[in-house]
Amino acid sequence: MGSDYYQGFALAVPAGNKAAYTDMARKGWEMFGEAGADGVVEAWGEDVPHGKRTDFYRATKAVDGEVAAFSWIAWPDRATCDRAAKAMQEDPAMQDMPEMPFDGKRMMWAGFEPVFDSARSS
């Protein structure tokens, strides 16, 4: 995407909640896009092997019937991401979060600065 900052997320979603998860992602993009995000990708696990020591299932404490999901939000820079997060935390409309189609207590997220980006490689 050519952005300077990314938030990455790993989570487990009940397989039957794919449509609700996709709908949540579309609504999330509207909110994050208005806040300055460059893009959002929500990916549904299609080829996620069960490892012997570590894997997405263990990392997210997935149970039978859940699918690994991986996503990221691209931001022009960390400052834009931080401003958006602060604005969302202070927005009264965000205080009553709708029910999520997954267990948010098992979602992991972090911020990343690219060290290589093929979109910027020549």
Side-chain angles (χ1 to χ4, degrees):
M1 278 188 198
S3 299
D4 284 340
Y5 192 72
Y6 292 84
Q7 287 178 300
F9 305 83
L11 59 149
V13 182
N17 289 358
K18 186 175 183 179
Y21 182 78
T22 303
D23 185 52
M24 179 203 69
R26 282 190 188 99
K27 291 175 183 171
W29 165 237
E30 291 173 12
M31 179 178 58
F32 295 126
E34 288 176 10
D38 293 332
V40 171
V41 173
E42 298 283 349
W44 192 256
E46 291 294 323
D47 181 19
V48 184
H50 287 272
K52 293 185 178 182
R53 294 181 184 235
T54 186
D55 60 27
F56 272 94
Y57 300 102
R58 284 181 183 91
T60 60
K61 297 184 178 180
V63 297
D64 285 343
E66 289 185 326
V67 174
F70 182 72
S71 62
W72 63 91
I73 304 171
W75 296 94
D77 51 50
R78 182 171 179 177
T80 303
C81 176
D82 289 346
R83 277 192 305 275
K86 186 175 191 291
M88 286 184 258
Q89 289 173 351
E90 294 173 352
D91 184 350
M94 295 296 294
Q95 302 308 311
D96 291 326
M97 291 294 293
E99 186 172 324
M100 302 299 249
F102 59 89
D103 180 1
K105 293 177 184 171
R106 293 183 286 137
M107 179 176 70
M108 295 172 288
W109 66 91
F112 301 89
E113 181 179 301
V115 294
F116 173 80
D117 184 341
S118 64
R120 294 185 174 172
S121 177
S122 30

